[in-house]
């Protein structure tokens, strides 16, 4: 640079100062910032070699963003904090003027330098820190192949440029940070949406679906071909959707209309009737930033069929229990009243008193059994039916249950049981099943007829069958027998709740077994059977029979 007059110097400084304010403001990344800094530095000093480096405190690494060497821009690179002038300035945070490099500092190899093989060494340089408060964000360095190319004024100028660079680096880092944050949030949101069991749809301000999560795709049974994102739900497009999806879409249309007008929709329920009955709860929130235009909305659909069914079951059970508990309670109360008046008057017929007492006991037992059945059925429905398997001799249990029932039955009960049909079953639960089948056989067949109970081990299963000569069942009835609350028309004049077989079937299934019924038709008797899996010891002969 030529020698300037004092006026020229002042003007140059003022111009420099006014340019500094805007320096690097447009830079979108560090490389662009480097170019802006180079252009400005080149105006005021020798920039034969010029570099911008940023410093990463965590890894103590210096990253050279770019390097200029004799007008050619080179890629940067990284190196650990070392002993050179750049590292020294980073460590001390103070600028460094190197008038004669060979005399003052360690020999320098321009790491990012030029032609291969040529070891070029600058002869002078100025290195200034880029600061943010006390922290060193990086350095700016201008170097020359001439000795004494720089003086104190250059240190000041480069420091002024570096101060400007500091603000820019902070701004760029903040934007980068924000972009990372943004990306992180997006990833988190993506993971939440994918793992949600609730179906979620996002619509834009025009009401077009712009996003669906996995659950929504499954609920709507949509493949990617059926839904074109970003297009409003129009009737002609919906025609290609599966029936269930069309039903849901019909419910969505008014919700989307509400969202388009910026109104959220409180939770409400819809019942799907095409295909399997399903109950869905639907709610929607409009997306409106605190300041700014409506962005559309989020719709959440939840399958609450199970919940509603359970509630309905509880109501059914309650209604059923209310009805079936009333009668025995009235009978018990009536007979207890008779007993009480007899006891207080001291007189009365002892035989009648005894009958009243046994009626009370019988009805109380029936009440207890009904209460237990109701409890077990609600456990079964909730998937909480407990099974405690234990080595159990099925023949012995069958004989025992038949014995207990025989004493009060007006029927002939025969038992045919193989010896040692032993497996890991819940004794109490198996008894429940046997009691249900035997008492049904007695209930639905005429007094004096024969009921046969057989137990046999057949091909890895223990099979039990209960045969009666009673009212029998037709094909339609046989198909529905194990449904909760089912009672055949022909059984309606016999008291019952239609819960016993449902529970028995559930107990057998919980043991890994199966239950079925056979009948040649009305009035021709029926056979109820169940099979329980035998343990491995039964599958592998020889079997050691225990006495
Ligand atoms: P409940 O006997 O209390 O009605 P269950 O669940 O035990 O309830 O039986 C359901 C229905 O199955 C009965 O109402 C009856 O219609 C039919 N059923 C059960 N056992 C027999 C049987 N041995 N013979 C004919 N029908 C039967």
């Amino acid at each position: 640079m030529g020698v300037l007059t004092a006026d020229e110097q002042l003007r140059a400084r003022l111009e420099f100062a006014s340019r500094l304010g805007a320096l690097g403001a447009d830079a979108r990344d560090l490389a662009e910032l480097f170019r802006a800094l180079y252009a400005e530095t080149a105006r005021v000093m020798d920039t034969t070699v010029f570099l911008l480096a940023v410093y990463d405190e965590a890894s103590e690494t210096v990253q050279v963003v770019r390097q200029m060497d004799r007008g050619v821009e080179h890629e940067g690179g990284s190196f650990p904090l070392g002993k050179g002038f750049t590292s020294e300035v980073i460590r001390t945070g103070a600028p460094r003027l190197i008038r004669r490099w060979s005399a003052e500092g360690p020999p320098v190899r321009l790491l990012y330098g030029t032609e291969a093989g040529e070891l070029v060494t600058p002869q002078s340089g100025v290195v200034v820190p880029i600061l943010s408060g006390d922290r060193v964000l990086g350095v700016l360095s201008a170097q020359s192949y001439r000795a004494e190319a720089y003086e104190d004024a250059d240190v000041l100028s480069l420091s002024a440029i570096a101060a400007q660079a500091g603000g820019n680096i902070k701004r760029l880092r903040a934007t980068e940070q924000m972009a990372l944050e943004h990306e992180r949030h997006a990833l988190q949101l993506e993971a939440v949406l994918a793992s949600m069991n609730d179906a979620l749809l996002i619509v834009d301000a025009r009401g077009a679906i712009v996003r669906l999560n996995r659950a929504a795709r499954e609920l709507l049974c949509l493949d990617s071909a059926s839904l074109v994102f970003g297009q409003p739900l129009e009737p002609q497009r919906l025609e290609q959707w599966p029936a269930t999806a069309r039903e849901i879409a019909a419910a969505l249309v008014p919700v989307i209309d509400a969202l388009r007008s910026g109104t959220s929709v409180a939770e409400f329920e819809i019942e799907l009737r095409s295909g399997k009955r399903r109950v869905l709860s639907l709610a929607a929130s409009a997306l409106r930033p605190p300041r700014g235009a409506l962005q559309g909305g989020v719709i959440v659909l939840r399958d609450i069929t199970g919940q509603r069914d359970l509630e309905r079951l509880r109501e059914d059970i309650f209604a059923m229990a209310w009805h079936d508990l009333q009668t025995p309670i009235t009978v018990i109360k009536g007979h207890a009243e008779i007993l009480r008046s007899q006891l207080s008057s001291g007189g009365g017929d002892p035989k009648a008193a005894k009958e009243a007492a046994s009626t009370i006991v019988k009805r109380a037992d029936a009440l207890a059994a009904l209460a237990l059945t109701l409890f077990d059925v609600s456990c079964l429905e909730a998937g909480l039916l407990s099974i405690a398997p234990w080595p159990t001799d099925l023949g012995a249990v069958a004989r025992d249950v038949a014995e207990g029932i025989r004493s009060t039955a007006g029927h002939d009960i025969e038992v045919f049981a193989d010896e040692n049909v032993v497996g890991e079953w819940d004794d109490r639960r198996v008894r429940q099943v046997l009691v249900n089948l035997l008492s049904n056989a007695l209930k639905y067949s005429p007094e004096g007829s024969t009921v046969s109970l057989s137990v046999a081990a057949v091909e890895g299963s223990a099979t039990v069958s209960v045969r009666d000569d009673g009212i029998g069942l037709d094909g339609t009835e046989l198909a529905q027998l194990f449904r909760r609350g089912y009672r055949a028309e022909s059984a309606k004049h016999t008291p019952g709740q239609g819960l016993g077989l449902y529970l028995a079937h559930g107990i057998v299934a919980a043991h890994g077994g199966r239950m079925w019924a056979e009948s040649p038709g009305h009035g021709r008797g029926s056979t109820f059977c169940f099979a329980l899996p035998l343990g491995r010891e039964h599958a592998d002969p020889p079997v050691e029979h225990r006495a």
Side-chain angles (χ1 to χ4, degrees), residues 112-328:
Y112 317 104
T114 51
E115 300 89 57
E118 189 191 350
L119 182 62
V120 279
T121 308
Q123 292 305 312
S124 60
V126 48
V127 189
V128 299
I130 300 171
L131 296 166
S132 165
D134 288 344
R135 280 180 58 208
V136 179
L137 301 180
V139 295
L140 277 186
S141 176
Q143 294 152 29
S144 173
Y145 294 110
R146 283 187 296 121
E148 306 206 3
Y150 306 97
E151 52 196 48
D152 289 338
D154 294 316
V155 176
L156 289 178
S157 302
L158 196 58
S159 296
I161 293 173
Q164 201 57 34
N168 283 310
I169 290 175
K170 267 168 63 183
R171 173 179 61 79
L172 288 174
R173 283 192 174 163
T175 350
E176 192 185 348
Q177 197 61 36
M178 270 169 64
L180 283 173
E181 280 285 293
H182 198 73
E183 196 180 335
R184 200 164 56 85
H185 280 146
L187 283 172
Q188 281 172 348
L189 184 66
E190 207 56 53
V192 169
L193 291 186
S195 61
M196 265 175 84
N197 287 330
D198 293 348
L200 186 135
L201 295 100
I202 301 178
V203 295
D204 66 13
R206 296 170 306 132
I209 296 179
V210 286
R211 193 132 182 210
L212 288 180
N213 69 347
R214 177 194 46 78
R217 208 171 274 285
E218 281 170 15
L219 182 70
L220 290 165
C221 317
L222 289 180
D223 52 32
S224 39
S226 330
L227 179 73
V228 181
F229 281 120
Q231 293 189 349
L233 288 183
E234 284 158 358
Q236 63 271 33
R237 200 164 285 126
L238 294 181
E239 274 163 24
Q240 295 140 30
W241 284 23
T244 318
R246 278 206 307 271
E247 256 189 299
I248 299 175
L252 285 178
V253 169
V255 174
I256 292 178
D257 283 347
L259 289 178
R260 277 168 52 196
S261 67
T263 316
S264 295
V265 179
E267 193 168 335
F268 70 99
E269 286 179 23
I270 55 168
E271 193 166 327
L272 305 182
R273 295 178 187 280
S274 65
K276 217 174 102 208
R277 174 190 156 269
R278 271 199 291 180
V279 186
L280 302 180
S281 101
L282 218 152
S285 315
L287 287 176
R288 190 196 288 280
R291 282 179 299 276
L294 181 72
Q295 299 284 312
V298 178
I299 304 169
V300 179
L301 291 143
R302 179 175 304 163
D303 190 334
I304 52 165
T305 318
Q307 199 179 319
R308 286 289 168 270
D309 282 354
L310 211 58
E311 281 164 16
R312 194 175 293 179
L313 167 79
R314 293 215 175 98
E315 282 162 18
D316 285 359
I317 290 181
F318 183 77
M320 202 184 286
W322 183 243
H323 177 262
D324 287 332
L325 296 178
Q326 285 254 300
T327 323

Side-chain angles (χ1 to χ4, degrees), residues 229-481:
F229 281 120
Q231 293 189 349
L233 288 183
E234 284 158 358
Q236 63 271 33
R237 200 164 285 126
L238 294 181
E239 274 163 24
Q240 295 140 30
W241 284 23
T244 318
R246 278 206 307 271
E247 256 189 299
I248 299 175
L252 285 178
V253 169
V255 174
I256 292 178
D257 283 347
L259 289 178
R260 277 168 52 196
S261 67
T263 316
S264 295
V265 179
E267 193 168 335
F268 70 99
E269 286 179 23
I270 55 168
E271 193 166 327
L272 305 182
R273 295 178 187 280
S274 65
K276 217 174 102 208
R277 174 190 156 269
R278 271 199 291 180
V279 186
L280 302 180
S281 101
L282 218 152
S285 315
L287 287 176
R288 190 196 288 280
R291 282 179 299 276
L294 181 72
Q295 299 284 312
V298 178
I299 304 169
V300 179
L301 291 143
R302 179 175 304 163
D303 190 334
I304 52 165
T305 318
Q307 199 179 319
R308 286 289 168 270
D309 282 354
L310 211 58
E311 281 164 16
R312 194 175 293 179
L313 167 79
R314 293 215 175 98
E315 282 162 18
D316 285 359
I317 290 181
F318 183 77
M320 202 184 286
W322 183 243
H323 177 262
D324 287 332
L325 296 178
Q326 285 254 300
T327 323
I329 290 172
T330 315
V331 174
I332 290 173
K333 197 162 172 251
H335 285 82
E337 292 285 1
I338 296 172
L339 278 181
R340 189 173 60 178
S341 65
Q342 279 195 6
L343 286 171
S344 46
S345 66
D349 175 7
K351 192 168 159 247
K354 217 169 145 190
E355 264 170 27
S358 40
T359 305
I360 290 174
V361 171
K362 222 166 96 189
R363 292 297 188 139
D365 283 348
L367 262 187
L370 177 58
L372 185 67
T373 303
L374 292 173
F375 175 73
D376 281 344
V377 166
S378 51
C379 289
L380 179 64
E381 287 282 331
L384 298 170
L385 191 80
S386 65
I387 297 290
W390 195 255
T392 304
D393 183 334
L394 197 54
V397 173
R399 275 189 290 271
D400 197 36
V401 171
E403 200 55 48
I405 286 181
R406 193 177 279 131
S407 56
T408 54
H411 294 68
D412 186 15
I413 303 178
E414 302 172 339
V415 181
F416 306 97
D418 285 359
E419 286 295 303
N420 291 310
V421 182
V422 179
E424 298 268 326
W425 306 304
D426 185 327
D427 179 295
R428 185 176 72 84
R429 293 293 187 196
V430 171
R431 277 172 196 271
Q432 258 180 295
V433 176
L434 286 167
V435 166
N436 173 254
L437 296 187
L438 275 176
S439 37
N440 278 351
L442 301 179
K443 216 161 65 164
Y444 299 113
S445 68
E447 282 211 4
S449 63
T450 302
V451 169
S452 323
L453 165 64
S454 349
V455 179
V458 189
E459 293 173 359
S461 310
T463 306
V464 177
S465 54
V466 178
R467 204 179 67 74
D468 65 58
D469 293 327
I471 60 171
L473 295 146
D474 65 21
T476 327
E477 291 164 343
L478 282 170
Q480 306 181 70
L481 276 182

Side-chain angles (χ1 to χ4, degrees), residues 11-30:
R11 196 171 321 122
R13 272 196 204 121
L14 287 174
E15 279 170 11
F16 175 59
S18 77
R19 282 196 312 270
L20 276 185
L23 179 61
D26 299 337
R28 281 166 304 176
D29 56 29
L30 287 173

